[in-house]
Amino acid sequence: MDKCTRGFYEESVHIRDSKLLAARNGYESLICSLKPSGKSDAKVAVIGGGPAGMAAAYFLGRQGAKVTIFEKRALLGGIVRYVIPGFRIGDFGIDRDVELVKAMGAEIKVNTPAPSVKELKSQGYTHVIFATGAWAHGHLKLESGESMNVLDFLEQYKCETLGDVGEHVIVVGGGNTAMDAARAAKRIKGVVSSTIVYRRNKRYMPADEEELQLAEDDGVAFRELLTPVRLENGRLICRVCKLGAPDASGRPASVETDEMIALPCSLLISAIGEKVEAKDFTDNGISLTDRGGVVANAKTLETSEPNVFVIGDANRGPATVVEAIADARKVADAIVGPYTVTVPEDSKACEGNCLLKQGSLAVYDSAGKETERCLACSTVCECCVQVCPNRANIAITVREGAMQQILHVDRMCNECGNCTAFCPYDSSPYKEKYTLFSTEKEFDESENQGFFVLGGGKVKLRLDGVSTVRLGANEMDPQIEQFINAVIWDYSYLL
Ligand SMILES: Cc1cc2nc3c(=O)[nH]c(=O)nc-3n(C[C@H](O)[C@H](O)[C@H](O)COP(=O)(O)OP(=O)(O)OC[C@H]3O[C@@H](n4cnc5c(N)ncnc54)[C@H](O)[C@@H]3O)c2cc1C
Ligand code: SF4
Ligand code: SF4
């Protein structure tokens, strides 16, 4: 599921704000109640105490595994602690996350670079997880002059050890990290201009729109369609580019012209993308791809070495905190099995309430009221019914069933694809919903699972294969039979 259904009405549920509010308000009561549940014989070494490593320690500890985090720096938190500027996130939230990890019983070894995988295994660790991030510097090629790496710049900015940067700071790159660096530079005393230089135009910058806007609001200047060539005498000489045909990324390629320009530059920061530290892996006999990524099983994130896993930025290259946490969950599932929670009956969304909300507009009021706007799609989703212009998807009430089921009516569908575009589950309802056919020819020409009513108490049915079955003779799955009976008895106008 990759889009919020509420967004089809007026705007998506502000889920991030709601979660933040819940985390802030519920922390004190939650932390006291947390304790590991479940039992496991796994003894896991987590290398790296950034968001990925912390999340892995939390998930595994919660399910009873014995976990040790090896962190080479003095504190847990990784990039978020050491690099993301304080005006974006304070230490308070990170410290609270560390408390959550401790509550799950993890042993934390700071100032401790991890020993080799071989050594860890000899110490009795059954599993090893690499959560080492992506700290290897991307290299900005210049004919002359030197740039400063963006992680170094931001780290020194954060711990206030940065020397004099002069008046004109230029950041090369168009991602979120570049925006943070330019915004940080803007806050340094004595800096007159902070400029982003990018080889395409703003429209094709990889930065989130929100981050770009924040940089603009802070007064960061943008110089589009420029490629840095050399630094000389306090000036950055750039070649002017233009947009060309789309390249492998799908964006227009940046094509160099003969025109050159010079920009005043006292400090040049390179924010052109960090990489995974290959040596961490090759030293341990772990295979890398041709492009320097770690070879890992997509389902379990196990590397080429048995019981050795890779998560977070170390797995994906520079990514996001939420993706680091998703990786940690995946590996925890692989090591200790899925985590299940029983939702109390009185906390479950009720189908009737969900249906009442559908079709009604509700504008955003505040983060604390977002549950009222949430349509609880995981309880009942009828998007494909609502968006079909031909009414070819129908919510059917099955007499014996607790919830309505969706029937697709083949003859009413012109395959416009609308239901696919709107489906929050990345499905194609007109191909995947159980289908009613009006003629045997239509049935034979389709690949959809579904049925054609032959008459005489018989239906032609396609599930895994095609068969002719009698109703009321125990010749098919009872739930399918109840569904077919509901259509015949209560929705005969569709036949
Ligand atoms: C400037 C900037 C802004 C960002 N803003 C956002 C944002 O707004 N939202 C968002 O979701 N993401 C953001 N990100 C990305 C996010 O910070 C990363 O995706 C996330 O931190 C990845 O977590 P990780 O644990 O995989 O790696 P890291 O955070 O890099 O942590 C890796 C840890 O491993 C440790 N380590 C490495 N090698 C060893 C070793 N051999 N032994 C022991 N310890 C080791 C490191 O010291 C580090 O603590 C931003 C990134 C940057 C650079
Ligand atoms: S369950 Fe709520 S938050 Fe999730 S997609 Fe549906 S409306 Fe959006
Ligand atoms: S593809 Fe068919 S079922 Fe889907 S919206 Fe279009 S007409 Fe309706």
Side-chain angles (χ1 to χ4, degrees), residues 160-235:
E160 298 176 1
T161 55
L162 204 55
D164 180 18
V165 300
E167 292 189 339
H168 301 288
V169 178
I170 293 183
V171 182
V172 180
N176 289 338
T177 307
M179 300 304 140
D180 275 354
R183 293 181 67 203
K186 196 74 193 145
R187 288 166 166 77
I188 297 173
K189 208 167 158 231
V191 168
V192 175
S193 71
S194 171
T195 306
I196 296 265
V197 161
Y198 186 58
R199 62 199 168 118
R200 295 190 178 87
N201 63 14
K202 241 192 226 170
R203 184 168 167 217
Y204 296 104
M205 282 184 182
D208 295 341
E209 215 175 306
E210 193 183 341
E211 303 296 330
L212 221 138
Q213 189 58 52
L214 286 167
E216 276 188 348
D217 293 348
D218 279 358
V220 169
F222 286 81
R223 297 300 303 253
E224 306 164 278
L225 293 165
L226 295 181
T227 299
V229 177
R230 61 184 179 275
L231 253 180
E232 62 184 19
N233 305 325
R235 297 181 324 155

Side-chain angles (χ1 to χ4, degrees), residues 434 443 450-451 459-463 465-467 469 476 480 484:
Y434 207 64
F443 178 97
F451 64 100
V459 290
K460 194 168 177 181
L461 191 69
R462 180 164 39 242
L463 288 171
V466 175
S467 54
V469 286
M476 68 182 106
I480 299 280
I484 294 174

Side-chain angles (χ1 to χ4, degrees), residues 47-53 70-73 75 77-80 82-85 88 112-114 131-135 151 154 176-177 180 211 280 311-314 318-322 324:
I47 308 178
F70 293 86
E71 169 53 55
K72 65 181 178 184
R73 291 173 179 253
L75 295 167
I79 289 272
V80 184
Y82 285 98
V83 176
I84 299 182
R88 298 258 337 271
T112 313
T132 42
W135 291 73
L151 297 186
L154 283 170
N176 289 338
T177 307
D180 275 354
E211 303 296 330
D280 288 348
I311 58 175
D313 283 7
T320 62
V321 170
V322 80

Side-chain angles (χ1 to χ4, degrees), residues 384 387-393 408-409 412-420 429-430:
C384 56
V387 301
C388 176
N390 299 333
R391 293 276 171 247
N393 298 320
H408 177 64
V409 185
M412 287 156 78
C413 173
N414 63 356
E415 302 194 353
C416 69
N418 218 28
C419 50
T420 302
Y430 75 103

Side-chain angles (χ1 to χ4, degrees), residues 135-150 172 199 227-229 268-276:
W135 291 73
H137 295 176
H139 180 61
L140 176 67
K141 275 194 215 142
L142 290 174
E143 285 173 7
S144 64
E146 291 292 325
S147 61
M148 182 177 193
N149 174 265
V150 69
V172 180
R199 62 199 168 118
T227 299
V229 177
L268 180 65
I269 299 168
S270 157
I272 55 169
E274 316 311 319
K275 294 186 174 53
V276 172

